[in-house]
Structures are given as structure tokens and as C-alpha cells.
Amino acid sequence: MTRLSNMQRRYPALALLASGLALALLSFWALEMTRRSSDGMSADKARTEPDYYVENFSYIKVAASGTAEYVIKGARLVHHPIDDSSTIEQPFVKSYSAQRAPMTLRARRAKVNADHSELHLYEQVRMDRPEARGTDNLSVESEYMLVLPDADQVKSDQRVVIKLADSTLIGTGMLVDNARHQMTLQSRVTANYPHPLRR
């Protein structure tokens, strides 16, 4: 009888100890979940920040034949790990081809996608092709151009001003296909050609 009464007296203490232990385990679990969540958020936040930059850089794409296809230079390149893209300040691009004179592009800033298949040029964009092999000097100006190196194309969906020798073309939307030696203006095209006798 004494042993039973002793157990009855200890039961509330054991129940209190068990509930305290459960509460401690629950608190530890909640703290661990919070820590893991904050670590994940910190990692995500860290990935949105640039992970490296290069100043006064030069990147050369070399063909299988060993000749340079194009060169990209800039004052500063910043890499963004969240999408593996890069931004460039003061970009300068020079492309080479056996079929045409070298072309240069420059702008105030640029963005390159992860696989380098797209180069977006922004602000005061200018493309130049010097006079060579019977072709006149060509310059194109716009606030935006998209360069597709693998397709050897340059596009724009904005206003462009093209100067070819003494002639000027203005239009909205452009496609330059270097492989086919074609340039297309898509809309709102105006042209200024000098009179042949006044040249």
C-alpha cells in the first residue's frame, strides 16, 4: 500500500518532467528549423550579390581554325551568379570574318547572358564597318542593339540611324545578317540620298 501511494505521489512529478522534456525538444526543433530557414535565406540573398568583377578586361573568342572570331573589351565586367550573366561598362566589340571587313560595336553598358549567345548593348550604341573591298563606310547608331555572335546577326527594336557613305537611313527595328550580307529596316523608314550629280 505504501509503495502504491509513493507512486501516486511521484506521478505528478514524472508527468511534469515528461512535459518539460517534450517542451524542450519542441523548442530545440523550432530553433533548428528557424536556423535552417535563415541560412537558406542568407544563401539566396548572397547569390543575388555579384561574386566577382574584372577591370580593363579583354575576352577573345577563337574559332576551331585558331583565328579570332570576336573580341570583347570593357572598363569593368561584373558577374551575377543568380543567373550566371555579366554586365559590362564601356563595352567594345570587334568581330572578324574572312568574308567582310571587321565590324566594331561600342556602347555605354552591356549585358551578356549565361552561355554568351546574346550580348545586349545599351545607351549610345554605335556599330561601324570601315570602307573596304569596294564597300562604303557604314555606321549605325541606336540606344539598343542585340548581338547574336553564333548567328552573326545584330538586331534592334528601337530607332536606328544608318549612314552609308553620303546617304542616311532612319527607321525603327533593324536586322543585320552578316552571313547573308543583308540589312533590313522594319518600319517608319526615311531616307536621304544625295543627288548623283552633286557628289
Side-chain angles (χ1 to χ4, degrees), residues 13-68:
L14 289 173
L16 185 61
L17 181 64
S19 62
L21 182 61
L23 183 62
L25 288 171
L26 184 62
S27 298
F28 176 76
W29 176 82
L31 182 64
E32 183 66 15
M33 291 298 104
T34 304
R35 185 188 67 78
R36 288 183 185 179
S37 175
S38 65
D39 285 351
M41 288 176 64
S42 297
D44 289 343
K45 184 178 179 182
R47 281 194 56 81
T48 63
E49 298 296 322
D51 57 353
Y52 68 84
Y53 69 91
V54 183
E55 294 186 338
N56 299 317
F57 74 95
S58 180
Y59 170 83
I60 302 172
K61 170 75 182 294
V62 179
S65 62
T67 58

Side-chain angles (χ1 to χ4, degrees), residues 13-180:
L14 289 173
L16 185 61
L17 181 64
S19 62
L21 182 61
L23 183 62
L25 288 171
L26 184 62
S27 298
F28 176 76
W29 176 82
L31 182 64
E32 183 66 15
M33 291 298 104
T34 304
R35 185 188 67 78
R36 288 183 185 179
S37 175
S38 65
D39 285 351
M41 288 176 64
S42 297
D44 289 343
K45 184 178 179 182
R47 281 194 56 81
T48 63
E49 298 296 322
D51 57 353
Y52 68 84
Y53 69 91
V54 183
E55 294 186 338
N56 299 317
F57 74 95
S58 180
Y59 170 83
I60 302 172
K61 170 75 182 294
V62 179
S65 62
T67 58
E69 286 186 1
Y70 59 87
V71 176
I72 301 177
K73 297 180 181 181
R76 182 181 174 95
L77 178 144
V78 179
H79 181 257
H80 306 277
I82 193 166
D83 60 357
D84 201 24
S85 67
S86 300
T87 53
I88 303 171
E89 296 175 13
Q90 304 297 324
F92 173 84
V93 182
K94 189 168 189 175
S95 66
Y96 301 92
S97 172
Q99 286 76 38
R100 58 171 170 76
M103 292 181 66
T104 60
L105 295 106
R106 62 186 77 231
R108 293 190 64 186
R109 61 188 180 93
K111 182 173 182 179
V112 185
N113 68 342
D115 64 359
H116 302 165
S117 63
E118 296 180 0
L119 173 64
H120 300 266
L121 297 165
Y122 303 96
E123 299 176 35
Q124 299 175 13
V125 186
R126 182 181 173 99
M127 178 174 70
D128 288 293
R129 186 199 66 200
E131 182 179 350
R133 299 176 188 167
T135 60
D136 292 321
N137 180 61
L138 169 74
S139 70
V140 183
E141 295 179 355
S142 183
E143 286 301 299
Y144 169 75
M145 289 186 200
L146 168 62
V147 181
L148 304 171
D150 297 336
D152 203 9
Q153 294 180 345
V154 180
K155 297 180 177 182
S156 180
D157 59 359
Q158 298 189 22
R159 181 179 184 268
V160 294
V161 178
I162 301 170
K163 293 182 179 178
L164 181 64
D166 298 326
S167 303
T168 303
L169 292 167
I170 299 173
T172 301
M174 174 192 73
L175 171 61
V176 178
D177 190 332
N178 289 313
R180 296 181 180 180

